[in-house]
Amino acid sequence: TNEAGCDSVATLNLTILEPTTSSTDVTVCDSYEWNGETYSTSGLYTFETTNEAGCDSTATLDLTINTFDATEFTVAECVSYEWDGEVYTVSGDYEKSYVNQAGCDSIATMHLTILQPTTSSTDVAACVSYEWNGMVYTESDVYTFNATNEAGCDSVATLNLTILEPTTSSTD
């Protein structure tokens, strides 16, 4: 009733405004920018603000950061080394970029030492026979001996051997 005692009707046009929530799952490499912040660690992050209706709005970010891989290894090989389809013949440090299992760019560094084989050649003239590397030779020829040098590489020694025959004489 109103002040005069008569029926009175009041009408309420009610609009209920709702808060909003959102959730986003993101997987990236290294870092991710979200709402003006840069994140470099996996985790659950929230951002509080006001929606268009003027109510609370909460956004949730479920972030997975996959990381960059940096690997190093050392190799010592004789003459050459093949890595990922390339042949290397010079000692040095070499890098290759690749995508790791997590889908992120990564770098592998190889520290390479190229070891060299050795060769030698010796000219010898001997009477009747000559002993070389445990063998006795009685004929002139070129002989080779294969071994491994201190670096673990092939070593080839060559012997150019001339066998001289003794002479005899008899005088009456």
Side-chain angles (χ1 to χ4, degrees):
T1 13
N2 64 17
E3 290 177 6
C6 298
D7 289 338
S8 175
V9 176
T11 303
L12 172 65
N13 293 316
L14 178 63
T15 302
I16 300 293
L17 303 174
E18 296 291 329
T20 54
T21 60
S22 66
S23 180
T24 305
D25 293 334
V26 174
T27 300
V28 295
C29 297
D30 301 319
S31 66
Y32 185 70
E33 187 173 326
W34 184 59
N35 293 316
E37 293 287 326
T38 300
Y39 299 91
S40 57
T41 305
S42 295
L44 198 58
Y45 299 96
T46 57
F47 180 74
E48 303 282 338
T49 189
T50 304
N51 65 17
E52 292 176 1
C55 296
D56 291 339
S57 175
T58 303
T60 302
L61 172 65
D62 188 356
L63 181 62
T64 301
I65 298 289
N66 290 329
T67 57
F68 166 90
D69 288 332
T71 58
E72 291 187 45
F73 62 98
T74 301
V75 176
E77 284 291 325
C78 297
V79 184
S80 66
Y81 182 71
E82 184 177 339
W83 180 35
D84 199 26
E86 274 187 71
V87 176
Y88 297 86
T89 59
V90 177
S91 296
D93 294 334
Y94 299 93
E95 287 186 353
K96 287 202 178 268
S97 297
Y98 64 96
V99 176
N100 66 15
Q101 291 178 348
C104 298
D105 291 335
S106 297
I107 293 178
T109 302
M110 173 179 62
H111 305 288
L112 177 63
T113 302
I114 295 295
L115 306 169
Q116 296 302 322
T118 53
T119 60
S120 65
S121 181
T122 306
D123 296 328
V124 172
C127 293
V128 183
S129 67
Y130 184 74
E131 185 177 339
W132 184 59
N133 292 314
M135 297 288 295
V136 176
Y137 299 95
T138 58
E139 294 183 23
S140 297
D141 206 343
V142 176
Y143 300 96
T144 58
F145 180 75
N146 296 309
T148 302
N149 65 17
E150 291 178 4
C153 298
D154 291 339
S155 173
V156 179
T158 302
L159 172 65
N160 298 310
L161 180 61
T162 302
I163 294 294
L164 305 171
E165 295 300 325
T167 55
T168 60
S169 64
S170 174
T171 306
D172 291 328

